[in-house]
Amino acid sequence: MSGHRTALIWDPSVTGYFFRPDHPFNPKRLELTVSLIEAMGLAGGPDTPIVAPRQATDAELLRVHSAEYVEAVKRFSRPGADTSDAFRYGLGTDDTPVFPGMHEMTALVCGGTIQAAEMVMAGEVTRAFNICGGLHHAHRGRGSGFCVYSDLAAAIAWIREAHGSRVMYIDYDAHHGDGVQGIFYGDPEVLTLSIHESGRYLFPGTGFVDELGAGEGYGYSLNLPLEAFTEDGSWLAIQERLIAEVAEAFRPDVIVLQNGCDGHLNDPLTHLRASTRLYEETVRQVCGLADRLCGGRVVATGGGGYAVWTVVPRAWTLAWAALSGQHAPDAIPREWLERWQGESPELLPERLRDAQEGWPAVPRRAEIEATNRRTFESLRRQAYPLLRGYGLGF
Ligand SMILES: [Zn+2]
């Protein structure tokens, strides 16, 4: 152990955030992940408590969502509700359908991330992981991309209001964290940094280098769009420098980390080529910075991840182990494989860390890596001079 107490925010009831049986945002992935974490003995001890989430209050939701939107979600939430105007709020779509109880369920997801922030800011734990959180596409007045309310923004807004702390938000989900960016676009005390597959190829089509913030917040919104087919090596090398340089300049009091794992090679919705090692390594990078700059404080969430059986449980078990300063051995326990293999449509991998030897080669690797380096240099040139403290830390 690294001496950091770390809470896992979890209760089986959060699997009620469920759109429909054939929807890719499948809560089974949460159940599988927690069962793997438990099978490996990585949670539930005195330094790794498992804490059930509570529902966010209306006041907590209204810090980041419009009253009209929250009222609409409540109305659509009732069984048999008239949802004919749902499209005005980004809901009732194929991506983000309306479901009975959606207000209560999403408020529970939000409450979990707020609770993670409360525990971290009170010093009860150094880090916390709300595995069902990470709804980074929800906007102030509309839902989008499987996200109804923004648990991330609600937690950040609570931190701002209760503690006045400076928050660095890091999002390495394969999709741009557009909702969180938009809600804090004008706020220089909340720095949002999203690393994702370029919006030229992927939903939501935003997240370019020139989206730098507005007004007082100009320079506090940063985006690194990666080329399709980017692999661990290029991603990690750039990311490590980027987050370190930005964090040194910004000097956060706490880091909020969205751990969507849909940038994995086997994810069905995206075109990045990460291995499960990237999730372990990224959390290590971020925790190292947090230890150095902000008392270790990290509020982490899940996010995207659509290879429900073969990727998400492994990626997030590695992320959790890194977050809580524990070593996760590579072998997945036999009893876990035996428990789930019968239900899984695919053969379950037996190791947490992907052995990448068998992976197909990327024909344009050198070109992709060069383009990513150019994008990073362009971001440095445009964004760094705008950051307060620039030049002090490095
Ligand atoms: Zn995603």
Side-chain angles (χ1 to χ4, degrees):
M1 289 294 297
S2 64
H4 290 305
R5 210 165 170 255
T6 307
L8 180 64
I9 311 292
W10 164 252
D11 184 82
S13 64
V14 300
T15 57
Y17 190 86
F18 180 63
F19 293 108
R20 52 165 202 266
D22 64 335
H23 193 284
F25 202 77
N26 181 347
K28 189 78 189 177
R29 65 206 188 114
L30 305 174
E31 187 187 347
L32 293 169
T33 303
V34 174
S35 103
L36 180 54
I37 288 172
E38 289 182 325
M40 297 191 77
L42 295 169
D47 287 325
T48 52
I50 299 176
V51 179
R54 62 165 174 85
Q55 211 173 305
T57 64
D58 282 8
E60 287 169 334
L61 297 173
L62 291 168
R63 283 199 190 104
V64 294
H65 292 293
S66 68
E68 182 189 346
Y69 179 57
V70 173
E71 278 316 305
V73 174
K74 283 185 181 170
R75 182 156 56 81
F76 302 142
S77 204
R78 292 176 204 126
D82 172 10
T83 59
S84 52
D85 61 336
F87 68 93
R88 286 182 47 205
Y89 303 98
L91 303 172
T93 59
D94 258 8
D95 271 4
T96 321
V98 163
F99 62 97
M102 73 193 295
H103 166 77
E104 288 75 14
M105 282 318 308
T106 323
L108 184 64
V109 174
C110 287
T113 305
I114 296 169
Q115 211 171 339
E118 286 169 344
M119 294 183 76
V120 168
M121 296 310 289
E124 265 176 77
V125 296
T126 314
R127 327 208 211 262
F129 185 22
N130 182 24
I131 196 162
C132 72
L135 305 177
H136 64 162
H137 297 305
H139 298 268
R140 185 173 291 279
R142 71 184 163 90
S144 170
F146 317 159
C147 305
V148 181
Y149 295 140
S150 182
D151 61 300
L152 296 154
I156 293 168
W158 174 81
I159 293 170
R160 292 287 311 133
E161 188 168 310
H163 293 270
S165 306
R166 290 158 69 73
V167 181
M168 181 170 176
Y169 171 71
I170 302 173
D171 180 330
Y172 65 110
D173 188 287
H175 301 90
H176 174 223
D178 60 337
V180 182
Q181 171 179 298
I183 288 170
F184 299 105
Y185 209 52
D187 187 344
E189 303 295 318
V190 178
L191 183 144
T192 63
L193 170 56
S194 180
I195 298 155
H196 47 263
E197 180 179 337
S198 171
R200 279 186 288 137
Y201 318 111
L202 196 66
F203 177 89
T206 50
F208 296 98
V209 166
D210 60 358
E211 294 166 35
L212 289 163
E216 290 285 299
Y218 188 59
Y220 295 86
S221 161
L222 283 84
N223 288 287
L224 183 85
L226 295 168
E227 289 298 288
F229 311 117
T230 294
E231 300 165 287
D232 285 6
S234 172
W235 185 337
L236 284 166
I238 291 174
Q239 177 176 274
E240 182 165 29
R241 282 179 62 201
L242 173 62
I243 61 175
E245 289 170 356
V246 172
E248 294 278 1
F250 181 68
R251 297 274 159 176
D253 298 309
V254 55
I255 294 174
V256 175
L257 180 65
Q258 202 269 22
N259 293 280
C261 61
D262 45 7
H264 189 277
L265 172 77
N266 295 333
D267 194 276
L269 299 193
T270 75
H271 318 98
L272 296 173
R273 299 176 70 108
S275 80
T276 52
R277 293 167 194 261
L278 179 120
Y279 301 93
E280 175 175 44
E281 195 49 45
T282 300
V283 174
R284 261 199 217 129
Q285 289 176 358
V286 170
C287 287
L289 276 173
D291 286 344
R292 204 141 53 75
L293 298 173
C294 55
R297 285 184 287 276
V298 178
V299 176
T301 70
Y306 308 98
V308 169
W309 293 89
T310 57
V311 174
V312 183
R314 295 186 301 131
W316 285 350
T317 295
L318 287 168
W320 162 256
L323 191 73
S324 54
Q326 303 178 88
H327 174 69
D330 210 22
I332 292 175
R334 184 77 8 222
E335 69 266 23
W336 188 87
L337 294 168
E338 279 164 9
R339 176 174 171 195
W340 296 111
Q341 186 60 73
E343 225 184 291
S344 169
E346 293 156 276
L347 187 64
L348 295 172
E350 297 185 3
R351 307 215 150 255
L352 286 179
R353 297 165 188 87
D354 292 312
Q356 290 156 272
E357 291 82 44
W359 286 16
V362 177
R364 295 189 301 113
R365 177 181 291 163
E367 188 188 327
I368 288 164
E369 292 183 352
T371 305
N372 286 337
R373 279 195 299 272
R374 276 197 302 276
T375 308
F376 176 43
E377 287 311 319
S378 163
L379 176 62
R380 296 178 96 216
R381 264 197 318 279
Q382 292 183 55
Y384 286 12
L386 301 169
L387 280 173
R388 187 166 58 215
Y390 174 79
L392 295 178
F394 55 98

